[in-house]
Amino acid sequence: MKRLAAGFAALAALAVSGCSAAPAPAGSGAPAVITPGLPGCTTATTPAPRLRAARAMVRAGGFPFGVAVTPDGRWAFVSGSGPTVQVFRAGPGLALHLVRALTVPGAQLLGETLTSGGRYLLAASNRGAVVIDVAAAEQGRPHAVLGTLAAPRGTGAIEVAVTRNTELAFVSLEYSDDIAVFSLRRALASGFGPADYLGAIPAGEAVVGLALSPDGRWLYATSELARGAGPSRNAQGSLSVISVPRAATDPARAVAATVTAGCQPVRVITSADGAVAWVTARGSNTLLGFSTALLRSHPARALIARAGVGEAPVGLALVDQGRQIVVADSNRFNAPGATASLAVVRVRAALAGRPALAGLLPAGRFPREMAVVPGGHTLLVTCFGSGQVELVGLAGLP
């Protein structure tokens, strides 16, 4: 913890200096490849016009963090830095109605994900993830919390990803610098216990963001500091590519490639076809796009897009059938003169190397995670600092 705190303090102190990093070893022992053309560490933001959109703010208890929406779009689940998941029913238009709260004693619930089909909700907590029966949670039946996946060591669970076949669950352990791997299928079939834990994937320091490729073969993970980079002015974070089949049998050697990925990369998503991995570099105020094919074959050439956004970007979501990305400019460190916002980035322009920031939408304090309601007309954003969920109507965005 002291090492991480010192590293983050040094990174936060960077104002306008560049960030070029020496190679750092990846978790599996392979060197982290330096990515040419990465932005420097900065608090400078990209100017953009203010946009208008239909929006509503809904009060949520605690400090809203994770958010997930069921495939039918009728229910939303919001976690909030404590032992509670709030269950909301989606109303007509931009409306959410709190129905109930599920409390898991001792849990620290953060990032969320639903399994394919929406049968189970997983919320990152402590050394793993809490697993919830979605139908039972919606209907208020007892025993909606089925159990907890827990690693034998580590702490700081923050994000969770699940394979489409519900076979494996991955949890980033921010303070342990690794990703815990669990057999979710075994846990659901035989009860939750130590045998569910399959091992750990070593990653860079402060591993946070997770995203699976659409075909389920690859897991992408961001770390705020590349392993071995240290708390220096030149430190960069990393993006790792992990073999999912290898992770099931040999997690310690599952990292296929690691590249530097800007200052404090914190979240990652993939395009619908899996061709591009999009990363928010929080300390660079930039959205980065990496070719997933080149990450594995020619990693030094994998950076194919970059777009400046607002202050301290965190969460991100593809909208408008993948033609745009909304980025949560969190302003979590309260940079002088900066405000929180939602940046709208044109994907085609970013990939073509043209100015891509279409504009900024207003946001609550510290927008953090996002979920698109099925149908693509509404975006939900957790506003950690103001204790709200923001609903944004996506029709009419430029």
Side-chain angles (χ1 to χ4, degrees):
M1 291 293 290
K2 290 181 179 179
R3 167 173 54 85
L4 285 173
F8 294 157
L11 287 169
L14 299 179
V16 295
S17 61
C19 289
S20 59
S28 61
V33 174
I34 295 176
T35 307
L38 287 171
C41 303
T42 184
T43 56
T45 58
T46 300
R50 293 287 170 175
L51 302 177
R52 290 186 177 183
R55 54 192 291 267
M57 307 297 290
V58 175
R59 193 70 189 170
F63 301 92
F65 191 107
V67 59
V69 182
T70 56
D72 61 11
R74 296 174 56 195
W75 299 86
F77 298 89
V78 177
S79 60
S81 294
T84 301
V85 171
Q86 298 169 83
V87 183
F88 290 87
R89 185 191 296 274
L94 299 179
L96 284 179
H97 306 285
L98 179 63
V99 175
R100 63 185 56 88
L102 300 176
T103 299
V104 186
Q108 184 75 10
L109 302 170
L110 295 177
E112 296 179 344
T113 195
L114 287 162
T115 58
S116 179
R119 184 173 181 181
Y120 304 106
L121 174 76
L122 277 73
S125 175
N126 302 337
R127 292 179 287 121
V130 171
V131 182
I132 294 170
D133 182 304
V134 168
E138 292 171 352
Q139 299 163 19
R141 300 201 307 262
H143 312 300
V145 179
L146 300 178
T148 299
L149 302 168
R153 64 170 186 82
T155 187
I158 191 164
E159 291 283 297
V160 58
V162 179
T163 55
R164 289 185 61 84
N165 61 3
T166 321
E167 181 67 42
L168 300 176
F170 301 92
V171 180
S172 55
L173 301 180
E174 183 177 12
Y175 303 142
S176 303
D177 304 342
D178 57 23
I179 301 164
V181 186
F182 299 96
S183 173
L184 178 57
R185 184 179 298 276
R186 177 184 296 162
L188 293 170
S190 305
F192 292 75
D196 306 332
Y197 177 70
L198 302 180
I201 303 168
E205 298 180 33
V207 59
V208 179
L210 298 177
L212 281 158
S213 63
D215 63 9
R217 296 176 57 197
W218 306 100
L219 176 70
Y220 302 95
T222 63
S223 296
E224 294 187 41
L225 289 172
R227 185 174 289 275
S232 72
R233 182 174 296 273
N234 295 322
Q236 282 219 352
S238 63
L239 172 67
S240 293
V241 185
I242 296 159
S243 166
V244 171
R246 175 63 67 87
T249 59
D250 190 5
R253 294 176 175 82
V255 177
T258 300
V259 297
T260 52
C263 299
Q264 304 169 43
V266 288
R267 296 293 187 275
V268 56
I269 59 172
T270 68
S271 57
D273 61 3
V276 183
W278 294 98
V279 173
T280 47
R282 190 182 66 196
S284 301
N285 291 343
T286 305
L287 174 69
L288 303 173
F290 293 86
S291 162
T292 56
L294 291 176
L295 280 171
R296 302 188 299 272
S297 62
H298 297 88
R301 293 162 40 197
L303 180 66
I304 57 173
R306 51 183 287 180
V309 290
E311 177 60 28
V314 180
L316 68 170
L318 283 158
V319 301
D320 189 22
Q321 298 181 334
R323 289 186 283 265
Q324 298 182 99
I325 297 175
V326 178
V327 178
D329 298 325
S330 72
N331 191 30
R332 64 167 299 175
F333 302 114
N334 298 312
T339 59
S341 62
L342 302 177
V344 180
V345 177
R346 298 187 180 100
V347 168
R348 183 176 296 180
L351 291 172
R354 303 194 306 268
L357 182 57
L360 304 175
L361 293 166
R365 294 196 304 274
F366 195 169
R368 198 156 199 167
E369 302 285 342
M370 300 184 184
V372 179
V373 176
H377 302 298
T378 306
L379 178 70
L380 304 186
V381 184
T382 55
C383 298
F384 184 86
S386 53
Q388 297 169 306
V389 178
E390 181 170 359
L391 294 85
V392 181
L394 298 175
L397 288 182

